[in-house]
Amino acid sequence: MTTPIKHLPASREWAGPAPEQELFQSYSKAEYKDRTNLHYEQPPEFFFSILGGEWQIYSCNLWERATDDTASQEEKMDLFARLLDLKPGMRILDVGCGWGGPLVYLCKTYGVTGVGLNLSPTQRQVAQQRAADYGVDAQIYECNWEDFRDDQGFDAVYTDEAIVHFTNLGEFFGKVHALLRPGGRMVNKECHFTSRRYNQHLTRANVHNYEIFGLTGGYRTLADELTLVDQNNFEVQTIHQIDLEHYRRTADSWLRNMYQHRERLQQIVGAKYYRQFRAYLKLVRRTFSGTKMTLDMVVAHKI
Ligand SMILES: C[S@@+](CC[C@H](N)C(=O)[O-])C[C@H]1O[C@@H](n2cnc3c(N)ncnc32)[C@H](O)[C@@H]1O
């Protein structure tokens, strides 16, 4: 007969986040960049082995018809194209463009030209090379959106699971408003807490995941995001909610890929980071099996 564990030792009990682990910390731009790059400057091979597919997209993909990573990435980007109402010749901006897969796919498939922003020199270099390899007109800048200047204007601006990092989301929407041409569209895809109480009472799992991303930004509720969209002179056109089954399938695929490449990945990033990242993916899988989050694409027009 096994002895039941009655109590965890006091030191293991969760007393809530420390002050520096609360969401929406304020940092200098330099510190913010260093913190996000703790994650995004890990070697591309590490991420690419996990994300899989031709476009190596680091966000939830769609599995309505897709049966493999590439098809699921393209199915998601085709939805972006519909919601952005892309037409050949348009000029678009991807803020938080990762390794450029999403932007290059849209340029190649829909005949648009693009600009992508991210904060990681490695991501920028990989994304610019990808644009060259596919022969598309896309410029990638290592640039915080707060510092981005442009005098041509964009027909559409989008983000895919990037605004979670942004501390000043209202200012971001104001910036997008200024960058868009009259009538231009903005589409933001992001996860949202289903109640504000979840970002005020973080769990140990929340904090583990938040630490993986250098404790930048934080999840909001959809209501809070919509308020900021409205306050910055956008008219909401559609809210497209994505069934969480798509995140579970995306996370399952990432976990499978990770396990398949486990020996090489541990060589690249070390056993400790490998374990932390695997725990993160398992927590993502669990989060999207509960009722604490939704995944939404907010489509808005510049007024
Ligand atoms: C989770 S990744 C998403 C990448 C891409 N959208 C995708 O789906 O594959 C977040 C991206 O946001 C970028 N990022 C974070 N904060 C940023 C900021 N303030 N300005 C520009 N890019 C930022 C990171 O460098 C990273 O490329």
Side-chain angles (χ1 to χ4, degrees):
M1 188 181 144
T2 53
T3 314
I5 300 169
K6 289 193 185 112
H7 299 290
L8 285 170
S11 63
R12 299 287 306 278
E13 280 169 16
W14 178 241
E20 69 275 18
Q21 294 170 321
E22 295 285 0
L23 303 184
F24 307 114
Q25 300 286 333
S26 167
Y27 307 114
S28 69
K29 280 186 198 159
E31 184 176 355
Y32 172 92
K33 180 174 178 174
D34 287 348
R35 285 175 168 275
T36 59
N37 281 343
L38 283 174
H39 189 60
Y40 298 112
E41 276 290 298
Q42 296 291 341
E45 185 187 346
F46 173 73
F47 288 105
F48 289 7
S49 302
I50 295 171
L51 305 176
E54 186 170 350
W55 307 105
Q56 292 120 1
I57 296 183
Y58 191 19
S59 46
C60 176
N61 295 310
L62 297 183
W63 301 84
E64 209 72 64
R65 292 173 300 283
T67 52
D68 63 38
D69 290 328
T70 300
S72 73
Q73 293 163 3
E74 295 185 351
E75 189 175 317
K76 188 263 296 279
M77 293 318 299
D78 290 338
L79 174 59
F80 260 106
R82 286 199 296 283
L83 296 178
L84 290 163
D85 198 21
L86 293 189
K87 304 272 189 302
M90 281 185 167
R91 184 167 184 258
I92 67 172
L93 174 66
D94 179 343
V95 185
C97 69
W99 299 270
L103 182 63
V104 171
Y105 175 76
L106 291 180
C107 290
K108 171 186 98 66
T109 311
Y110 294 92
V112 297
T113 63
V115 173
L117 307 181
N118 64 39
L119 289 176
S120 144
T122 307
Q123 285 192 325
R124 192 210 74 80
Q125 192 268 327
V126 170
Q128 196 63 73
Q129 185 59 51
R130 192 193 297 265
D133 292 345
Y134 283 88
V136 299
D137 183 352
Q139 292 307 313
I140 313 295
Y141 299 108
E142 180 192 325
C143 178
N144 192 317
W145 62 263
E146 295 179 55
D147 299 325
F148 180 61
R149 302 276 175 272
D150 173 80
D151 54 14
Q152 294 180 55
F154 292 94
D155 299 294
V157 177
Y158 69 98
T159 64
D160 192 352
E161 299 184 36
I163 60 175
V164 62
H165 286 295
F166 305 168
T167 315
N168 308 319
L169 190 59
E171 281 173 36
F172 173 68
F173 292 148
K175 178 86 178 193
V176 174
H177 192 276
L179 292 170
L180 278 172
R181 295 171 178 160
R185 257 182 213 205
M186 169 174 79
V187 176
N188 296 296
K189 167 169 164 276
E190 194 50 273
C191 308
H192 299 103
F193 278 129
T194 49
S195 161
R196 271 194 186 180
R197 71 182 190 279
Y198 294 130
N199 61 20
Q200 284 152 9
H201 300 284
L202 298 180
T203 62
R204 198 197 294 268
N206 293 145
V207 170
H208 175 88
N209 290 358
Y210 186 41
E211 280 183 324
I212 288 271
F213 293 92
L215 300 168
T216 54
Y219 287 112
R220 300 171 174 84
T221 61
L222 178 59
D224 285 345
E225 183 179 319
L226 291 174
T227 301
L228 295 171
V229 167
D230 183 65
Q231 284 170 351
N232 285 280
N233 299 314
F234 282 96
E235 188 176 292
V236 175
Q237 191 207 354
T238 320
I239 299 168
H240 181 92
Q241 191 168 65
I242 296 175
D243 191 319
L244 295 183
E245 177 60 17
H246 293 285
Y247 226 133
R248 292 194 286 275
R249 288 195 62 179
T250 301
D252 283 344
S253 182
W254 292 348
L255 281 161
R256 221 174 14 250
N257 293 342
M258 188 174 192
Y259 187 69
Q260 192 187 339
H261 298 286
R262 61 193 176 283
E263 281 164 23
R264 174 72 186 138
L265 294 180
Q266 288 179 40
Q267 278 171 5
I268 302 173
V269 295
K272 185 172 173 213
Y273 194 78
Y274 177 92
R275 266 199 316 278
Q276 287 172 343
F277 196 81
R278 195 154 177 85
Y280 156 68
L281 288 186
K282 287 182 178 171
L283 290 168
V284 167
R285 176 69 172 79
R286 201 171 72 193
T287 300
F288 291 108
S289 305
T291 57
K292 281 172 83 167
M293 300 211 93
T294 59
L295 177 57
D296 311 280
M297 296 174 83
V298 175
V299 183
H301 283 279
K302 171 172 174 158
I303 300 175

